[in-house]
Amino acid sequence: MTENTGLLSRRQFIKIVAASGLTVGLGAALARRLIESSEWTPVEETRGAIGTYIRLVLLTPDRDSAQQAIEATFDRIAQLEMILSRYRADSALGRLNAAGALEHPPYELIDVLQKSRQIFEWTSGAFDVTIGAVANLIEQCNRRGEVPSSEEVRTALKRVGFDKLSIGSDRITFDQAGMFITLDGIAKGYIVDAAIAELEQRDFTQVMVDAGGDIGGSRRGDGSSWHIAIQDPRGSTGKSIAVTQLPNGALATSGDYRHAYTPDFQLNHILDPRTGFSPLELSSVSVSAPTACLADALATGIMVLGSQAGLALSERLSNVECLLVTKADKVIRSAGFSIET
């Protein structure tokens, strides 16, 4: 298996940015105020990290301090990458996957796994970070131009299940050989939340962080909104299916178009832990939630659950809304998911 180090070429970087599923802009009123006032200016920077891109935007009258905060935030992101990335053999997660056990795990890895367990329970197993053995099988077959057989998938599924994972403060262990954790469905959101916290600790109260389409906005400020365009999963790059506002919290989108292994999108990177294959009803799910970590994981979980169970779940959870697009191009949204017309 060829290791992906998470380092991006310029071509890969552009491709990922184009396929993120979400684009962000300043609200019209906020943009107008920035033009009229020389005091507040947007300061932004985008870099490759965790196998995708991270974009930081700060609205501030102090450009020098903003640049210092951006550097500190990217340092924090690099620390988290060394803990949570499955693409790095030397990360904490990489060492756990290789050895099947990890002594004295970092707090952040324990925290992400505990949050993952909670969402696993909320989604009745539709979101499961232990799906890695199946994900690896499909990725390996894809590199050979093949699709795995049902028997190969069934064999890989024997190494999947949260009940086979033991999480303690001093040790994390797999209860079965050959298990593999992937945090692809939650780590980006977790990093967005950590980046926002880092910026807010430095007194930047008007910020936006975008990690490959998982977007969080500062929870403080003057109430101005970030405008977010949600990509049409079957449209050309840059074509949106809806525009919404992000005055508070986070928004994440999962879609079958992000990493499709078959031309018809029927097999893609989003996998049902109960079957080992991709769910067939939805082409994309956008979730707004109080945190990017929650929005990220729920977008994946609802893709697997499908529209009926997914909408029911969002109704049960506080301050969680969703917009779903079926493979037949039908748009469904929860009652509280607002879009601009």
Side-chain angles (χ1 to χ4, degrees):
M1 178 178 177
T2 302
E3 182 182 349
N4 182 339
T5 65
L7 300 177
L8 301 178
S9 68
R10 180 177 181 274
R11 185 174 183 180
Q12 290 172 317
F13 184 86
I14 293 171
K15 182 179 179 181
I16 290 172
V17 171
S20 67
L22 299 171
T23 57
V24 188
L26 300 174
L30 177 56
R32 190 161 49 249
R33 284 203 302 276
L34 290 174
I35 293 170
E36 294 169 352
S37 171
S38 60
E39 183 180 2
W40 288 82
T41 58
V43 179
E44 68 174 274
E45 188 155 341
T46 303
R47 300 181 188 176
I50 59 169
T52 184
Y53 71 88
I54 309 286
R55 178 187 177 205
L56 308 181
V57 183
L58 290 67
L59 307 182
T60 174
D62 188 346
R63 178 175 290 274
D64 291 339
S65 295
Q67 196 59 50
Q68 293 174 10
I70 285 172
E71 292 299 327
T73 301
F74 275 116
D75 286 345
R76 177 58 175 151
I77 290 169
Q79 292 172 358
L80 290 172
E81 182 175 21
M82 282 301 299
I83 295 171
L84 305 177
S85 175
R86 74 175 174 108
Y87 302 113
R88 299 187 65 116
D90 56 348
S91 72
L93 180 61
R95 289 182 281 121
L96 171 61
N97 282 331
L102 184 66
E103 303 287 345
H104 309 297
Y107 161 77
E108 293 90 344
L109 180 57
I110 295 172
D111 191 30
V112 170
L113 290 176
Q114 289 174 336
K115 286 178 167 61
S116 297
R117 187 189 296 277
Q118 178 66 79
I119 297 166
F120 170 85
E121 294 171 355
W122 285 346
T123 61
S124 302
F127 177 84
D128 189 343
V129 297
T130 71
I131 192 65
V134 179
N136 283 343
L137 168 66
I138 292 175
E139 289 170 4
Q140 290 166 1
C141 288
N142 181 64
R143 283 194 288 271
R144 299 193 301 266
E146 302 172 355
V147 174
S149 67
S150 296
E151 182 57 35
E152 288 176 313
V153 171
R154 281 195 295 269
T155 299
L157 278 174
K158 295 177 181 178
R159 303 191 296 275
V160 173
F162 242 113
D163 60 326
K164 301 179 179 68
L165 176 64
S166 299
I167 307 169
S169 59
D170 295 324
R171 180 179 171 87
I172 301 172
T173 57
F174 297 154
D175 297 340
Q176 184 170 331
M179 290 183 65
F180 191 95
I181 286 176
T182 170
L183 299 176
D184 289 359
I186 193 170
K188 287 194 303 177
Y190 189 87
I191 287 172
V192 167
D193 293 333
I196 290 174
E198 182 75 25
L199 293 169
E200 290 186 339
Q201 287 175 6
R202 297 171 182 274
D203 296 325
F204 289 92
T205 60
Q206 290 283 343
V207 303
M208 185 278 296
V209 179
D210 176 6
D214 292 353
I215 298 170
S218 177
R219 291 154 186 77
R220 299 179 298 183
D222 64 359
S224 301
S225 299
W226 301 99
H227 288 227
I228 302 177
I230 300 172
Q231 182 174 320
D232 182 345
R234 294 296 181 265
S236 58
T237 300
K239 180 183 178 183
S240 64
I241 201 165
V243 176
T244 188
Q245 293 186 16
L246 186 72
N248 203 347
L251 183 74
T253 292
S254 290
D256 61 9
Y257 56 93
R258 299 288 293 275
H259 299 288
Y261 300 126
T262 56
D264 60 3
F265 303 98
Q266 295 300 302
L267 183 62
N268 56 78
H269 71 294
I270 299 171
L271 302 171
D272 186 336
R274 300 162 296 187
T275 68
F277 289 98
S278 300
L280 299 177
E281 181 192 2
L282 300 175
S283 59
S284 76
V285 171
S286 298
V287 172
S288 64
T291 68
C293 181
L294 181 59
D296 189 10
L298 285 177
T300 299
I302 291 175
M303 276 285 293
V304 174
L305 284 173
S307 59
Q308 185 173 354
L311 287 170
L313 175 61
S314 71
E315 290 173 359
R316 292 197 304 270
L317 298 176
S318 178
N319 298 315
V320 171
E321 303 293 343
C322 60
L323 182 145
L324 321 176
V325 184
T326 71
K327 291 186 187 295
D329 293 328
K330 180 181 180 182
V331 178
I332 308 167
R333 58 189 170 110
S334 59
F337 194 102
S338 62
I339 59 175
E340 298 180 359
T341 57

